[in-house]
Amino acid sequence: MRLTIVGGPGAGKGTQAPNLCDKLGIPLISVGDILRGAIALQTDLGILARAYVEKGELVPDPTMIQFIRQRLTGPDIGSGWLLDGYPRTAFQAEELDFLLDELGQRLDWAIYLDVPHELLVSRTLARSRADDLPEIVERRIELFQERTIPLVEYYEYKQRLLRIDGRRSVEEVQQDILHQLKAN
Ligand code: AP5
């Protein structure tokens, strides 16, 4: 199964994704974690991404598209995966579709964790990540609304969207995702 999980900062993507991968037996590709790891190790990707991630800005599309292309064509990638935090822009979504076409694959579902603005803010501010300062969180939410919400509409139009009420407990959200994946 090939999945992506979409949602604003603090929506619960990083909380849900590892458990879902365990249950479904597929690898997790968490773009935010990969970027933070690359920044810590000061790899070429990390050096390039650092200024963007620290300010809550999006890393430029060409860099992310090239990275995902390498990742999804790597030798350890089998018949499925869950992408956390990718795609995030219309260009990334379009390029992902091109890549999957080339590989004779398709994305099965985009899981959208729908969480209101106030809850995105309170959940992220309750954490202590370097990019969780109030003004940076607001910028990340703004970018989510501007750049990523159109993708939710795109996947809905393509009938590939699972909309999940992300306000509920971690367990309830998990059960609902698994239930909807089985039912569809
Ligand atoms: P990324 O790490 O993906 O950040 P994000 O999308 O802003 O998401 P978060 O990690 O803040 O939230 P989450 O939804 O994972 O919530 P979590 O489960 O942690 O990306 C970081 C940066 O990398 C971006 O800002 C950008 O610079 C760059 N980047 C990444 N992808 C990119 C791309 N494709 N293109 C360009 N740039 C890119 O939960 C948050 C908190 O809430 C936790 O404390 C958790 O315990 C709690 N919580 C979760 N669910 C619940 C629940 N149901 N009930 C109660 N509490 C809950």
Side-chain angles (χ1 to χ4, degrees):
M1 195 173 272
R2 296 181 190 86
L3 304 169
T4 177
I5 189 160
V6 182
K13 304 181 296 295
T15 302
Q16 297 295 334
N19 294 336
L20 278 177
C21 285
D22 279 353
K23 296 246 163 57
L24 299 169
I26 54 176
L28 171 61
I29 301 170
S30 167
V31 175
D33 286 349
I34 290 166
L35 290 174
R36 280 184 289 278
I39 291 168
L41 292 173
Q42 300 189 16
T43 64
D44 289 348
L45 175 65
I47 290 165
L48 195 150
R50 182 175 184 162
Y52 298 96
V53 174
E54 282 180 350
K55 289 187 204 135
E57 298 293 330
L58 294 176
V59 177
D61 280 338
T63 302
M64 295 313 306
I65 288 165
Q66 190 194 3
F67 171 76
I68 288 292
R69 172 172 278 273
Q70 278 170 0
R71 193 67 192 86
L72 294 188
T73 52
D76 59 325
I77 290 293
S79 55
W81 32 255
L82 170 61
L83 291 173
D84 168 358
Y86 194 93
R88 241 175 242 244
T89 66
F91 191 31
Q92 290 179 9
E94 208 172 53
E95 289 293 323
L96 179 63
D97 279 352
F98 289 148
L99 173 62
L100 294 181
D101 274 353
E102 245 177 77
L103 298 172
Q105 301 172 355
R106 54 167 270 166
L107 183 77
D108 292 296
W109 295 107
I111 300 162
Y112 170 42
L113 298 182
D114 192 0
V115 171
H117 189 126
E118 320 78 69
L119 199 50
L120 296 178
V121 174
S122 60
R123 283 187 188 168
T124 41
L125 294 188
R127 249 180 0 190
S128 54
R129 230 166 65 184
D131 58 349
D132 285 339
L133 297 171
E135 63 279 15
I136 299 178
V137 167
E138 280 303 336
R139 178 61 182 151
R140 285 159 56 207
I141 295 175
E142 189 178 71
L143 281 170
F144 171 71
Q145 293 293 345
E146 275 174 20
R147 309 291 300 277
T148 310
I149 283 292
L151 298 192
V152 169
E153 289 154 13
Y154 169 75
Y155 287 125
E156 190 154 43
Y157 172 75
K158 294 193 130 196
Q159 300 187 322
R160 277 191 277 155
L161 189 77
L162 296 184
R163 187 183 289 266
I164 304 288
D165 178 353
R167 293 172 300 179
R168 298 164 297 168
S169 73
V170 171
E171 293 72 26
E172 283 173 304
V173 170
Q174 181 88 183
Q175 287 312 314
D176 192 11
I177 297 172
L178 289 168
H179 175 77
Q180 290 211 37
L181 285 174
K182 275 194 198 130
N184 283 285

